[in-house]
Amino acid sequence: MDVPGCADASARADSPRRAARRGTVRPRTRAASRALGRAGSPGAVVPAAAPRAVRHHEFPPPSHLPAGARPRRSGGLIGLDIADMDFAAHPLASAAAHLRARTGTMRYTLASEALRDRIAGWYADRHAWQVRRDAVLLLPFGVKTALRLALETCADLTRPVLVCTPVYGGILKVVRAAGAELRPVALTVGAGLRHVLDPQALDRAFRETGARTLVLCSPHNPVGRVWHADELTEVARAAHRAGALVLSDEVHSDLVHPGHRHIPWGAVAADPDWIVLHSVGKTFNTSGLQTCFAVTGTARHRAALLRALGSWGYYEGSYFGDAVAEALLSPATHAWLDARVVRVAGVTAAVRDALAALPVPLRSSPPEAGFLLWVDARALPVPATEPDLATWVHRRTGVRMLDGTRFGGEPGMLRLNCATDARLLAEALRRLTRFAGRLPGVAAR
């Protein structure tokens, strides 16, 4: 998990307390506040002057505090960098964990056969994909570690590994840490900053490099794309021609916005040489459990992963994680998740519109899944002496985002997390509005 440094004193120069004394917000920010309130919590009213900001990833997050409790203060920092939600998990998550803890034993784990059934049923119900229960491997760590396990166990690391960029920086780090030569293949950027896969570029990269492994992010972090069937089918044909293993990170697949549909890689693959990685972590905001699962296209890969798991000193399954995942991957959570997705989609769209309305417009890729925005900030006049854009903005606003270069992208891009309290988002937008309005050449317009 990539976390930039804490805010310095300059980040507190325009604190929310001073804003409260002024009691004013620019009209565009006030409108954004109302939109965020409507999208984030039906009926909520966002005050013109937000309360003192808290760090997005501070423990416990604001939504998890007991009723009436005040969040801890953190010097005016608003962290919109970490890719998890400040919204409460489904109540079944804590209920299942409490029930497991009440047994009084925390023994070695036997993999839950009931959870395999739940995973197969979830894919059938939510994604129209028929998964064999014996293809499911339950892993006692997060998806990044699972990717490392799959790379070192099933991939040919004597050859380059292809990754479509920009992409979540954790994928880049894991591929390099596994000792592979990483070969980026750039996504194509179309109208409105919409990114698309380029099967021809992948086909060419397979031929020119001799690569036999592709790591796919689907839906994509950070650009928010939900890949279409025709895109995936063409990529599958390119991988098949190369005889390549495809490792597909699909942790955002249950957060697909209305009007879009996620297609699991195994549903379009041209051959069974693939491994799909998924988790309840992003879906239900339980990433702290550090548990995930793999679905394998062949029994050979599953057996190899299981052997390697033992060599790392792990057992299949997770004592608490399996119990929580089994409770969550249930028809009982479908309506709750549908409402959560609508909420996240509404908040993300409102923030995207507000950024585009800043004195220096910051335009974003249209998100089709998840709660992240990939923001084009190249219009900002960043001094040549600044090492990265995110640090420069952070020092002047106290708003923390991730720099696009962390994702293998070009300079001038930012990734922003929208899944936090509407008042904090409104305050972040107020700060960014004030900051952009004071940039050279902007105030005189």
Side-chain angles (χ1 to χ4, degrees), residues 94-411:
S94 56
H98 279 297
L99 186 63
R100 180 57 61 95
R102 285 176 58 189
T103 64
T105 61
M106 298 183 189
R107 57 187 181 270
Y108 288 123
T109 303
L110 293 175
S112 170
E113 297 304 316
L115 177 54
R116 294 190 215 278
D117 289 334
R118 284 288 175 89
I119 292 169
W122 185 266
Y123 272 118
D125 292 342
R126 303 288 297 191
H127 303 296
W129 185 33
Q130 302 303 316
V131 171
R132 301 186 324 275
R133 65 190 304 275
D134 61 358
V136 177
L137 185 66
L138 308 177
L139 299 171
F141 36 65
V143 168
K144 278 197 299 185
T145 306
L147 176 60
R148 175 79 178 266
L149 175 72
L151 283 166
E152 295 195 7
T153 302
C154 302
D156 182 357
L157 299 185
T158 65
R159 299 169 179 261
V161 172
L162 305 187
V163 182
C164 297
T165 55
V167 73
Y168 167 52
I171 290 177
L172 303 177
K173 287 184 177 180
V174 166
V175 171
R176 293 186 178 111
E181 178 189 350
L182 188 149
R183 286 295 182 96
V185 180
L187 298 172
T188 299
V189 184
L193 293 179
R194 187 174 183 271
H195 292 66
V196 297
L197 289 168
D198 188 342
Q200 289 73 31
L202 280 168
D203 201 24
R204 186 165 56 252
F206 276 126
R207 293 196 311 270
E208 292 176 353
T209 68
R212 293 293 180 269
T213 306
L214 168 66
V215 178
L216 188 68
C217 190
S218 176
H220 194 277
N221 171 7
V223 305
R225 271 298 316 280
V226 177
W227 306 121
H228 291 171
D230 55 350
E231 291 175 287
L232 292 173
T233 299
E234 288 301 314
V235 172
R237 289 171 180 163
H240 176 69
R241 286 191 290 269
L245 168 71
V246 176
L247 305 177
S248 186
D249 174 350
E250 303 190 2
V251 295
H252 290 273
S253 59
D254 293 319
L255 297 174
V256 172
H257 296 182
H260 301 277
R261 175 175 171 253
H262 169 69
I263 301 173
W265 177 260
V268 297
D271 57 53
D273 205 11
W274 52 263
I275 299 170
V276 168
L277 302 174
H278 193 15
S279 165
V280 298
K282 300 295 184 189
T283 306
F284 294 100
N285 205 29
T286 58
S287 295
L289 286 173
Q290 286 293 295
T291 181
C292 71
F293 53 88
V295 182
T296 59
T298 69
R300 173 173 54 87
H301 285 329
R302 187 185 185 283
L305 290 170
L306 195 56
R307 287 194 301 271
L309 191 66
S311 73
W312 284 15
Y314 286 105
Y315 297 91
E316 187 186 5
S318 166
Y319 188 73
F320 284 97
D322 285 4
V324 171
E326 186 178 330
L328 293 174
L329 296 177
S330 157
T333 63
H334 286 192
W336 181 95
L337 179 57
D338 290 342
R340 170 61 57 86
V341 170
V342 169
R343 178 186 184 186
V344 165
V347 170
T348 307
V351 174
R352 182 171 184 255
D353 290 344
L355 290 173
L358 291 179
V360 178
L362 301 183
R363 309 198 184 279
S364 312
S365 300
E368 300 172 354
F371 44 85
L372 305 169
L373 284 179
W374 184 242
V375 181
D376 184 352
R378 287 173 292 183
L380 294 176
V382 186
T385 55
E386 291 295 332
D388 66 60
L389 171 64
T391 299
W392 180 64
V393 174
H394 175 207
R395 284 207 309 268
R396 284 155 181 78
T397 65
V399 178
R400 194 169 65 186
M401 296 174 277
L402 289 185
D403 196 85
T405 55
R406 291 173 176 260
F407 301 84
E410 59 182 294

